Amino acid sequence: MKIKYIQNLNNFTGTIIIPVFETNIKSIVPIEYHGCSVYSQVFYGKKDTHYLVEKYDCTHIFIGLGKSIDYKSLKTIFRRTSSKFKDNFSTNVAINIPDEYDSNQVEAMFSGLYLGTYDLGHFKKKVLHHFLDQEFELQVLSKNNFENTIVRALKIAKSQLEVFSLVDLPSNVVTPQYLANWTIEAGKKYNFDVEVFGRQKSEEVGLHAFLAVGKGSEREPQFIIMDYNPENAKNHIGLVGKGITFDTGGLNIKTAGMVHMKCDMAGGAAVLGAMQLIADLKLQTRVTAIVPACENAVDSKSFLPSDVISSYHGSSIEIIDTDAEGRLILADGLSYLIKNYKPQTVVDIATLTGSSVATLGYECAALFTNNDEILKALQNSGDATGERLWQLPLWDCYKSDIESDIAAVKNYSGKPIAGAISAAKFLEYFTDNHSSWAHLDIAGVAFVDDEFAKTKHATAFGVHLITNFIENL
């Protein structure tokens, strides 16, 4: 999609998108645009409403924004517009940017429009959205120049669209090898380094916890390492994302909801999408990221409850529950990142526990950190991007939940309470008390039911959040 600025709508025919802030249901003054008068009895700009007017060989789509609007809501409104009215966008399309808009609102609007091109029917015959045509021109009316903002908005959306596909595609397509290949190609395109350890190299390196999880699968695990290192980098940030491409629960097999477990790599996908976006935006921060990718399957070779395994950290781990596997691969990812790359700040992101969903529902992710500066920065980025976070405690009184009689630590407390916290304490153990580490449990926000599909699907939660966080450090 190309962007073309126009000064007016003289001789224009096609579809015009007109965002409107709310007036008043009793207003006697109609909303006027391009010769169209819309009276308050039928439309007055109430949030999440729209009104169509056919006039002058044009389809005018008036979009209600409400009296004020946040970033996430604005993005959702324009995603809905792009998706709902795609048949109206087959020819010329123009969009009016209200004079009151700032750059953040323009970013949300154009990101939303591009996200509306997503179609979950990957294996159906379908016609691509016209916005995806490289030659398609979206004509923009604005008194201000938002060219750089629009370019940025489209880059954000493109990275999120990649994550939608990675998470929504089935596990027989998105295997650990698929993720490795995707990352290699992205590294070439966006200019960051990629190194991948297969089973043999991971064994040589000592990634024993990571390998234990993947033992039951015929699909070879892939330990994916990325490094974006621009000249004159200001900071060095480390990222780790959980990359379980399918989670049966292992021998502690899941008794419900297994059909959705292709999404258990959503944290890893968020890291991959963030790396694409960070490099695409050419941020002046070094970012080293790791996605341990494997499948937790059931087989005669699967690791067992009561096993004691080793780890890259060198600490032994008692396996209480094979369905608490994500924290095992993250443990090796965190240990390897911190020991070999020594980033100033480390953030891991994972669909880790149902406990975080029980606590916070589907509105925000759980945030764990003992660093107040990182806490505030992450929450500010979450609020700014609509990917919100809420802190849960990391108090030492929860250490007993991971204490083992036979090994250094155990991977599951065995208690039906505080599961997200004990998982975070387990990860904290493998950071060697890193002074600037945060854990994001995104189990409730990575794969959801909403208006854009009939079934659960990906949100790309974390891509924009992480990028905004790094950008503002």
Side-chain angles (χ1 to χ4, degrees):
M1 181 170 70
K2 297 178 180 178
I3 301 297
K4 178 183 178 182
Y5 277 90
I6 58 175
Q7 300 300 314
N8 54 61
L9 292 169
N10 294 343
N11 302 316
F12 179 88
T13 59
T15 300
I16 307 169
I17 304 171
I18 308 147
V20 177
F21 285 100
E22 184 175 338
T23 55
N24 190 297
I25 193 170
K26 296 181 180 179
S27 175
I28 61 173
V29 180
I31 295 167
E32 301 272 2
Y33 191 84
H34 193 229
C36 297
S37 295
V38 182
Y39 289 88
S40 62
Q41 290 92 331
V42 293
F43 176 83
Y44 59 97
K46 184 179 179 181
K47 185 180 176 183
D48 295 328
T49 63
H50 66 271
Y51 188 71
L52 268 65
V53 178
E54 296 284 350
K55 194 170 184 178
Y56 306 130
D57 294 324
C58 293
T59 300
H60 303 76
I61 306 176
F62 291 86
I63 306 296
L65 305 179
K67 293 181 179 178
S68 63
I69 194 162
D70 60 83
Y71 187 98
K72 182 179 180 181
S73 297
L74 190 57
K75 195 170 184 174
T76 300
I77 284 172
F78 281 94
R79 182 180 175 187
R80 181 188 305 127
T81 300
S82 179
S83 176
K84 185 181 181 70
F85 298 107
K86 62 183 177 182
D87 291 339
N88 296 98
F89 300 150
S90 58
T91 53
N92 295 328
V93 180
I95 185 165
N96 178 64
I97 299 179
D99 293 346
E100 308 97 307
Y101 264 27
D102 59 26
S103 58
N104 279 334
Q105 290 172 313
V106 172
E107 180 184 286
M109 180 168 70
F110 280 86
S111 283
L113 284 174
Y114 208 66
L115 288 179
T117 65
Y118 184 67
D119 187 339
L120 191 56
H122 290 283
F123 299 94
K124 293 182 177 182
K125 291 182 180 179
K126 57 185 178 180
V127 178
L128 286 180
H129 197 295
H130 294 280
F131 288 174
L132 294 175
D133 186 341
Q134 292 183 351
E135 299 305 313
F136 185 90
E137 281 190 339
L138 179 61
Q139 301 179 57
V140 176
L141 291 111
S142 175
K143 289 184 178 180
N144 302 306
N145 187 343
F146 289 110
E147 185 175 352
N148 291 337
T149 299
I150 294 172
V151 169
R152 172 187 170 85
L154 296 180
K155 288 180 177 181
I156 292 169
K158 285 176 182 177
S159 64
Q160 291 175 320
L161 286 171
E162 288 288 340
V163 175
F164 285 177
S165 293
L166 287 174
V167 177
D168 285 334
L169 283 166
S171 59
N172 61 327
V173 174
V174 180
T175 62
Q177 188 64 60
Y178 183 100
L179 290 181
N181 293 342
W182 185 96
T183 308
I184 291 167
E185 291 305 310
K188 292 175 183 176
K189 183 175 181 179
Y190 295 99
N191 196 29
F192 57 85
D193 295 329
V194 179
E195 186 176 13
V196 180
F197 299 162
R199 182 177 283 111
Q200 182 176 341
K201 180 66 174 178
S202 295
E203 187 70 50
E204 292 171 4
V205 169
L207 300 168
H208 301 300
F210 167 63
L211 288 171
V213 174
K215 280 173 64 178
S217 174
E218 65 178 10
R219 296 189 169 104
E220 184 172 6
Q222 305 284 296
F223 194 81
I224 304 166
I225 306 168
M226 297 155 277
D227 193 31
Y228 169 70
N229 193 6
E231 291 184 13
N232 304 314
K234 299 175 184 176
N235 300 299
H236 184 192
I237 308 300
L239 304 174
V240 182
K242 176 185 172 184
I244 299 292
T245 56
F246 194 82
D247 181 22
T248 65
L251 292 178
N252 290 106
I253 197 162
K254 292 181 183 292
T255 57
M258 198 194 297
V259 69
H260 299 309
M261 285 301 102
K262 64 180 182 179
C263 80
D264 215 17
M265 40 67 73
V271 167
L272 297 179
M275 285 298 290
Q276 172 181 314
L277 182 55
I278 289 161
D280 200 10
L281 293 175
K282 296 180 171 56
L283 300 190
Q284 290 302 299
T285 299
R286 183 182 180 188
V287 182
T288 306
I290 292 177
V291 175
C294 63
E295 188 178 71
N296 187 23
V298 179
D299 184 81
S300 61
K301 297 179 182 178
S302 298
F303 71 134
L304 311 175
S306 81
D307 278 358
V308 174
I309 65 172
S310 187
S311 65
Y312 183 81
H313 184 266
S315 297
S316 56
I317 304 169
E318 180 186 8
I319 304 302
I320 303 299
D321 192 326
T322 62
D323 197 21
E325 86 299 330
R327 64 201 70 181
L328 298 174
I329 68 170
L330 289 174
D332 271 2
L334 286 165
S335 298
Y336 189 89
L337 175 72
I338 291 167
K339 180 179 179 180
N340 295 285
Y341 290 93
K342 299 177 175 57
Q344 295 160 291
T345 295
V346 177
V347 178
D348 74 75
I349 180 167
T351 49
L352 206 61
T353 68
S355 173
S356 68
V357 186
T359 304
L360 298 170
Y362 303 103
E363 299 303 323
C364 68
L367 164 61
F368 297 86
T369 183
N370 280 328
N371 186 304
D372 288 341
E373 183 179 349
I374 298 304
L375 167 68
K376 292 174 184 176
L378 280 166
Q379 286 190 316
N380 287 341
S381 291
D383 291 342
T385 61
E387 298 180 356
R388 301 172 73 182
L389 304 169
W390 192 255
Q391 187 185 24
L392 295 180
L394 271 175
W395 300 324
D396 281 346
C397 58
Y398 291 102
K399 272 186 177 180
S400 60
D401 284 352
I402 63 167
E403 290 175 353
S404 168
D405 288 330
I406 196 171
V409 287
K410 60 184 179 183
N411 78 324
Y412 180 61
S413 70
K415 301 175 183 178
I417 55 173
I421 299 173
S422 60
K425 292 302 289 183
F426 181 88
L427 295 179
E428 182 185 45
Y429 179 88
F430 291 90
T431 66
D432 280 334
N433 296 313
H434 194 288
S435 62
S436 184
W437 161 73
H439 161 57
L440 311 181
D441 189 335
I442 62 169
V445 290
F447 200 66
V448 302
D449 289 303
D450 65 21
E451 65 186 278
F452 295 109
K454 297 176 183 178
T455 186
K456 284 183 178 290
H457 57 281
T459 64
F461 187 102
V463 174
H464 197 187
L465 164 68
I466 290 170
T467 305
N468 183 280
F469 165 71
I470 290 172
E471 202 168 19
N472 288 287
L473 278 179

